[in-house]
Amino acid sequence: LRRCLISVDRSLIEKSIPEVKRVLQTKDTFRNVTILSTLENLKSIKPVDVCCVTSHLLTFYRDRVFKDHQETSLEVMRQISSIANSFLYMQKTLEQCQVHNQCQCSQEATNATRTILDNYDQLEASSAALKSLGELDIFLTWIDENHQETSTA
Amino acid sequence: AVPCVSGGLPKPTNITFLSINMKNVLHWNPPEGLRGVEVTYTVQYFIYGQKQWLGASECRSISRTYCDLSAETSDYEHQYYAKVKAIWETKCSEWAETRRFYPFLETQVGPPKVALTAGEKSISIVLTAPKKWQRHPNDDTVSMQQIYSSLKYNVFLYNTKSRRMWSQCIANSTLELSWLEPNTLYCVHVESFVPGPPRLTLPSQKQCISTLEDQMSALKV
């Protein structure tokens, strides 16, 4: 069964994310709470579950994070919308995989996503959204690392 | 430690991590306006997602303005904060803090080792990836290539006769340049490069080597 792999828009990683991260991480004062960064959680995802978790997290960002975030800076808003657009593009790619039955969801994958959503719900929506946007570097790094031909089982 | 009055001193400034091959050293400038005063510093760090600030055991009441936190921040997939305060007699500053530090995305990847071999019209270049910081010299060596599978190299070649520079980005560790001028001094330097967020690069030392004399012209003489 060929693996479902997506690629991340380079300008996203090289420009948009660093700018959004620099601004939003400074505003995130809840340092003892993370949304994605329970690394044991993300690092434990098996290659076969990568597609499902990626799809769930792209949906999480689209339906929760981008909606809950209140932004005052036009420049940051512009960067976030370009991130949102590229997430939509990645999701379209994953939908092709789902059509070809390459995006199975194991219990472990579902649990991992559940943990992330529970982390999100621990905080008030705008704080949780701010923190999730500040953790985009973790999410994009995880996608970059796990959507490569060579990422081993 | 002797309790001090917080805010009695200005904060240290420009606090930042300088990270090369996962050797993560915290640097700062002394507080302004305290020239000639014997200030000491205390450092703490925080693992993002954990519960509390932790003391840096090697950096309590120190007079230098840097603190090696490589051991404390050695899990490069976690993210960290660090803070430092200045102390003088019974007064101390408030904490000066870094922004969130993510070693995996922010460490500078040092230059590779460069080995050159010259032929008549060719130079062969063999590169060895830099090593990750080690806690102890006899710890197992980890290459930065193992951490960054997408590690690439920018190779710069300078012809000292024509004064022309040429460069190429390569993904593997060997490069054969085979259309060069004989009996010519070339200089090479190499930078490591990881696709992703922008990082500072550190070029290798410039190394020069001369291509051999053209055998044909040597025979004609």
Side-chain angles (χ1 to χ4, degrees):
Chain A
L1 184 66
R2 236 182 75 72
R3 276 191 60 205
C4 173
L5 299 176
I6 58 174
S7 60
V8 182
D9 171 358
R10 294 305 340 154
S11 74
L12 210 64
I13 285 189
E14 288 160 9
K15 191 174 180 303
S16 303
I17 300 289
E19 276 186 32
V20 166
K21 162 179 148 174
R22 189 175 44 77
V23 173
L24 299 191
Q25 283 185 354
T26 313
K27 297 180 184 174
D28 177 7
T29 52
F30 297 97
R31 289 192 184 130
N32 55 342
V33 177
T34 74
I35 307 292
L36 301 181
S37 170
T38 47
L39 272 165
E40 289 58 36
N41 186 11
L42 275 182
K43 263 163 75 171
S44 64
I45 303 297
K46 297 189 184 66
V48 68
D49 288 328
V50 163
C51 176
C52 166
V53 171
T54 306
S55 176
H56 281 176
L57 291 183
L58 289 172
T59 303
F60 159 65
Y61 270 92
R62 183 194 66 199
D63 295 348
R64 304 289 299 272
V65 178
F66 295 136
K67 282 183 179 156
D68 290 343
H69 180 64
Q70 294 137 24
E71 185 50 53
T72 50
S73 151
L74 281 180
E75 177 50 28
V76 173
M77 212 182 287
R78 208 169 54 77
Q79 297 293 358
I80 290 174
S81 67
S82 79
I83 293 166
N85 288 334
S86 76
F87 276 22
L88 285 176
Y89 177 79
M90 283 196 270
Q91 235 164 347
K92 286 257 176 306
T93 311
L94 288 182
E95 277 159 18
Q96 290 310 307
C97 298
Q98 280 151 346
V99 165
H100 295 101
N101 222 357
Q102 289 172 300
C103 213
Q104 309 292 317
C105 281
S106 73
Q107 190 53 50
E108 279 167 284
T110 306
N111 293 348
T113 314
R114 181 72 263 153
T115 302
I116 287 167
L117 295 177
D118 290 346
N119 290 341
Y120 192 85
D121 292 331
Q122 268 182 49
L123 291 173
E124 187 263 327
S126 64
S127 303
L130 178 83
K131 180 174 280 297
S132 303
L133 289 169
E135 292 185 3
L136 276 170
D137 53 356
I138 296 170
F139 182 37
L140 268 298
T141 300
W142 179 80
I143 289 180
D144 227 24
E145 289 284 296
N146 287 275
H147 280 262
Q148 291 180 24
E149 288 297 344
T150 51
S151 45
T152 52
Chain B
V2 174
C4 58
V5 176
S6 179
L9 290 183
K11 288 199 272 192
T13 59
N14 297 329
I15 177 168
T16 187
F17 275 98
L18 174 59
S19 174
I20 300 173
N21 297 334
M22 302 299 183
K23 178 180 174 68
N24 306 323
V25 182
L26 186 69
H27 288 261
W28 61 87
N29 291 346
E32 281 156 7
L34 290 183
R35 198 170 296 279
V37 173
E38 285 200 19
V39 173
T40 61
Y41 304 95
T42 287
V43 173
Q44 292 188 346
Y45 68 98
F46 189 98
I47 302 169
Y48 178 58
Q50 305 285 309
K51 294 302 172 208
Q52 64 208 9
W53 286 92
L54 303 168
S57 52
E58 303 293 321
C59 303
R60 223 178 261 131
S61 303
I62 57 173
S63 48
R64 61 180 187 272
T65 57
Y66 62 87
C67 170
D68 189 337
L69 290 173
S70 303
E72 290 83 354
T73 57
S74 58
D75 185 335
Y76 51 77
E77 288 188 321
H78 272 103
Q79 302 184 323
Y80 305 90
Y81 293 89
K83 63 182 181 182
V84 61
K85 73 177 175 182
I87 304 153
W88 177 56
E89 293 177 349
T90 60
K91 292 181 187 167
C92 53
S93 74
E94 286 169 2
W95 293 100
E97 285 183 18
T98 66
R99 52 183 189 73
R100 196 178 303 172
F101 169 60
Y102 191 3
F104 183 76
L105 287 187
E106 297 181 43
T107 199
Q108 294 174 57
V109 180
K113 274 206 188 97
V114 181
L116 305 178
T117 313
E120 232 179 82
K121 296 179 181 174
S122 69
I123 291 176
S124 101
I125 301 175
V126 176
L127 307 174
T128 307
K131 295 193 188 72
K132 175 182 175 292
W133 168 83
Q134 291 169 281
R135 195 182 300 249
H136 304 298
N138 39 33
D139 283 354
D140 290 344
T141 300
V142 174
S143 158
M144 294 300 277
Q145 176 82 55
Q146 292 169 259
I147 296 171
Y148 300 103
S149 53
S150 58
L151 178 65
K152 294 179 173 44
Y153 302 107
N154 284 321
V155 179
F156 298 87
L157 180 78
Y158 177 69
N159 180 327
T160 60
K161 207 183 277 182
S162 68
R163 298 195 182 182
R164 296 180 63 184
M165 176 76 89
W166 168 91
S167 70
Q168 178 176 344
C169 180
I170 61 172
N172 47 21
S173 57
T174 57
L175 178 63
E176 184 76 18
L177 305 170
S178 54
W179 33 261
L180 305 177
E181 295 170 40
N183 199 26
T184 302
L185 185 66
Y186 287 89
C187 294
V188 173
H189 75 268
V190 185
E191 290 171 359
S192 302
F193 164 72
V194 179
R199 297 172 202 247
L200 294 174
T201 57
L202 294 164
S204 66
Q205 285 268 328
K206 182 175 78 173
Q207 286 173 251
C208 301
I209 191 168
S210 189
T211 48
L212 305 182
E213 215 175 312
D214 184 351
Q215 293 311 308
M216 294 307 290
S217 57
L219 289 176
K220 282 175 193 153
V221 172

